[in-house]
Structures are given as structure tokens and as C-alpha cells.
Amino acid sequence: MNYLTRLIGATGGAGFPFNIGEVVSSYTGKSIWTLHKGTRKDDNSPVSIFAYDPKKNPAKLEVAKNGFKRAKTLRHPNILTYLDGLETEAMIYIVTEEVYPLEDKLEDCREFPNSISWGIY
């Protein structure tokens, strides 16, 4: 986390109005994006922050830029709500409403014996 905080400050994103929290480990390796928990600086409301580091995966930079552009322009009540974003030379951040990986929620449901009858999995 300190690395990301220093990185944002070093790249001119000192005005980034969100705190970047811990990485959601269950999402690691499933996408080019890293999912972080986060909060708004002004009211501490929870958000999710998707981060892309072009140094770790330079071949997917155009894919990440396209995803950032699409996230900003898509607006629909049944699609994840885009709140803010930041694109720098060093990182791309997409801030959305708070989300959890579906796999985590399915694990929570499997503890109930009747969950298969609910049609969840």
C-alpha cells in the first residue's frame, strides 16, 4: 500500500480523492487488473479500486487503456458504477462502487444446505 501511495503522489495524483487499501487476494491473477479495497477521503465510504501496472504487464497496456475508456463511458443501472479514475505513466486506476468477487460470495452461500435449491451454483 505504501508503494501505491508513494507512486500516486510521485506521478502528480496527489489530488486523488481516494485511499487505496489492501489487495483483494481472491481476485489476484484472474485479470490484468489488481482489485483493492478503498475509501473516499472525504466521507470514508467504501469503494473498489482496480489498478493496472504497465511495468508488470506491458503487453496489455492498450487493453487496460481501452478498459479505462469504456468504464468511463458506460452508464447503465445494471452495470458496475464508475466513480472516478486516474491514468498516469506509471499506473491506471478505475474507482467503482464497492464490489466483491463472485467466487467469495458463492463460498459464503455453500455453507447453507439448501443453497443448491436456490439456483445459486
Side-chain angles (χ1 to χ4, degrees):
M1 162 132 160
N2 291 335
Y3 169 74
L4 291 175
T5 305
R6 285 194 314 258
L7 186 63
I8 291 173
T11 58
F16 193 60
F18 300 94
N19 294 315
I20 300 173
E22 62 188 51
V23 173
V24 177
S25 60
S26 61
Y27 190 74
T28 303
K30 307 226 186 238
S31 171
I32 63 170
W33 300 94
T34 304
L35 177 59
H36 295 264
K37 294 180 181 180
T39 58
R40 286 183 185 263
K41 286 183 180 174
D42 58 355
D43 64 359
N44 284 332
S45 60
V47 297
S48 290
I49 301 171
F50 292 87
Y52 172 75
D53 185 355
K55 293 177 193 139
K56 291 183 180 176
N57 195 354
K60 299 289 185 178
L61 179 60
E62 289 304 313
V63 172
K65 285 183 176 185
N66 188 33
F68 179 66
K69 183 174 107 177
R70 297 289 178 226
K72 288 194 304 189
T73 57
L74 283 175
R75 301 280 187 222
H76 190 276
N78 296 331
I79 296 178
L80 185 62
T81 303
Y82 170 87
L83 300 175
D84 200 356
L86 177 67
E87 183 177 354
T88 66
E89 294 280 325
M91 292 291 282
I92 298 175
Y93 297 101
I94 298 175
V95 182
T96 67
E97 62 186 318
E98 187 177 26
V99 297
Y100 302 97
L102 179 61
E103 187 175 292
D104 293 353
K105 293 302 174 185
L106 290 177
E107 287 299 321
D108 293 344
C109 291
R110 288 189 178 120
E111 67 186 48
F112 298 103
N114 294 331
S115 63
I116 197 161
S117 66
W118 300 340
I120 294 177
Y121 66 95

